[in-house]
Amino acid sequence: MLTDYLLRHGYTFFASGWMQFAAAFGLSFLIMLIFGRPFIRAMRAWQKKGQPISENVPTQHLKKAGTPTMGGILLLVAIIIPSILFMPMHNPTGWIALLALALFGLIGFADDFKKVTSQSKKAANGLSPLMRLTLEGVCVVALAYLINRTMPPYIPEWSLALPFGIILPLGLFYFVFAYFVICGSANATNITDGLDGMLAKLYLPVLIVLVVALYGATRIGFMDTVMFLPTASGLYAVLGAAFGAVLGFLWYNSRPASIFMGDVGSLALGGFMGTVAMLLKSEIIMGIAAGMMVLILLSSFVQTMFFKITRRMTGTGRRIFRRAPLHHHFEELGWTESKIVERFFIVSVLFSGLALVLLKFA
């Protein structure tokens, strides 16, 4: 909106993707800093008791009772407004990324609202897993169709880009693949949001990888292994806004957290991340960069499956981890929350570094 206006009036420097990125980043970060404290007071006044502490977390989390949740609402506002202001309005990629953010944010909002209003301490006190996965699936079908429509004619329809320039046509399985990428990302970020500041810190290195992939996709010759995707230029402002919003949210969510992101934020950021990766044909690279989140998601899945299988075989369910997901296992081992977050962040940086190497040479 604002970018198109400035370009029409001769301010050609706003044609630069990096200028759009910087402008959206700055405004998004300012929105979080200026409105963060009033928003927290409003959420505390509305929710009163805040987010109920689940019975399935370590007992030290009980001291967090009363902390307001649904901070993701402000996070989404801080991404959407600067994105619309500074992204090219005619470019569909930015709109698709924002659509993913909004759709998964709405699912998360419904989940959070049910938790806050019920004040139940049961682990499954929001939307049922079946309901949530079904809603996510419907969103993914629409998003996958739109993503495929943005691809240039020299890229086969419904295809997957593998390292070393391999293109794999998927046909209708493209929708299955999209479900695993986008829903997997959404649920990985959702389950990662379990300690103060952890999701934001693990998410930022992945965003850096996506920004580098975006630059490679819009610059011929910068990365020979990255496909040239001219329409991807619409993502500069959106990724800049996401970067500023997540960084600004960390200001209030760092330990001890003044507010929790909630499912409205974590699901939205995950769906957004998976969608952007598909728009950039960088799904495998994104999966490597988000390796720490993937490990956290897998730890919960493995724990659940192992418990069910051993209970069926022996009559007594057994566990691999002391508590799942993985960060709660380390809490039970005696690690402090800050140590877990910092070490997981280090591992996330290493995964992102590996993704950047592969992005350049694979």
Side-chain angles (χ1 to χ4, degrees):
M1 185 182 295
L2 189 56
T3 291
D4 292 342
Y5 174 83
L6 291 171
L7 289 175
R8 285 197 302 270
H9 287 77
Y11 297 93
T12 55
F13 60 88
F14 253 89
S16 165
W18 287 118
M19 180 57 68
Q20 297 165 19
F21 180 95
F25 171 88
L27 179 57
S28 179
F29 187 71
L30 281 176
I31 289 173
M32 292 302 300
L33 287 189
I34 294 172
F35 295 101
R37 189 59 60 188
F39 180 81
I40 291 171
R41 287 197 295 268
M43 288 294 102
R44 184 176 287 116
W46 171 54
Q47 297 173 13
K48 296 182 175 60
K49 295 182 180 180
Q51 177 173 303
I53 304 302
S54 172
E55 60 188 10
N56 284 2
V57 300
T59 55
Q60 56 263 39
H61 282 246
L62 294 175
K63 62 186 178 183
K64 300 181 182 184
T67 305
T69 186
M70 301 174 78
I73 296 174
L74 181 61
L75 185 77
L76 266 62
V77 170
I79 295 174
I80 292 172
I81 291 177
S83 295
I84 293 176
L85 281 176
F86 295 111
M87 72 183 190
M89 301 297 285
H90 64 278
N91 193 311
T93 54
W95 290 109
I96 294 171
L98 292 181
L99 178 63
L101 189 81
L103 290 175
F104 279 83
L106 285 172
I107 296 172
F109 178 84
D111 206 36
D112 282 335
F113 187 80
K114 188 174 179 182
K115 290 177 182 177
V116 170
T117 53
S118 70
Q119 282 297 310
S120 169
K121 293 180 172 56
K122 293 182 179 179
N125 57 354
L127 297 177
S128 70
L130 179 60
M131 172 62 74
R132 201 168 84 172
L133 291 173
T134 301
L135 291 173
E136 291 173 359
V138 172
C139 295
V140 166
V141 170
L143 291 169
Y145 174 79
L146 294 172
I147 290 167
N148 185 70
R149 298 282 293 177
T150 67
M151 294 298 123
Y154 50 82
I155 295 179
E157 287 191 331
W158 319 112
S159 62
L160 163 65
L162 296 172
F164 305 104
I166 300 172
I167 303 295
L168 181 64
L170 296 178
L172 291 178
F173 284 102
Y174 181 82
F175 291 96
V176 179
F177 173 70
Y179 185 84
F180 278 102
V181 172
I182 299 176
C183 287
S185 298
N187 288 287
T189 52
N190 181 240
I191 206 167
T192 298
D193 187 30
L195 300 179
D196 294 355
M198 188 165 74
L199 175 55
K201 281 195 169 184
L202 269 58
Y203 195 83
L204 288 171
V206 182
L207 271 183
I208 292 173
V209 173
L210 290 175
V211 170
V212 174
L214 170 60
Y215 186 75
T218 54
R219 295 293 186 279
I220 296 176
F222 176 70
M223 287 182 176
D224 294 335
T225 60
V226 177
M227 293 183 179
F228 179 57
L229 302 168
T231 56
S233 59
L235 292 171
Y236 276 101
V238 180
L239 284 178
F243 209 106
V246 173
L247 203 60
F249 183 78
L250 185 59
W251 185 272
Y252 298 104
N253 186 238
S254 57
R255 189 171 184 272
S258 301
I259 192 168
F260 298 141
M261 186 179 295
D263 292 351
V264 62
S266 59
L267 280 177
L269 287 179
F272 172 83
M273 179 174 74
T275 300
V276 169
M278 294 196 70
L279 285 166
L280 295 173
K281 286 290 184 183
S282 299
E283 301 94 341
I284 306 300
I285 293 298
M286 185 274 294
I288 294 170
M292 190 66 247
M293 298 185 202
V294 173
L295 290 177
I296 292 171
L297 179 63
L298 285 177
S299 69
S300 187
F301 176 77
V302 169
Q303 181 90 323
T304 302
M305 295 305 297
F306 187 76
F307 182 85
K308 289 182 177 179
I309 291 171
T310 53
R311 184 173 61 181
R312 184 174 298 176
M313 293 175 62
T314 66
T316 303
R318 299 180 181 179
R319 295 174 173 84
I320 297 176
F321 304 102
R322 291 195 178 187
R323 193 185 293 268
L326 193 59
H327 42 275
H328 292 328
H329 169 76
F330 286 107
E331 282 188 291
E332 296 289 0
L333 290 178
W335 289 24
T336 63
E337 186 169 336
S338 57
K339 186 179 290 292
I340 295 168
V341 171
E342 296 306 320
R343 288 181 173 175
F344 280 24
F345 170 68
I346 292 170
V347 176
S348 182
V349 170
L350 293 175
F351 272 120
S352 295
L354 175 59
L356 288 174
V357 170
L358 294 174
L359 194 61
K360 178 64 177 176
F361 299 108

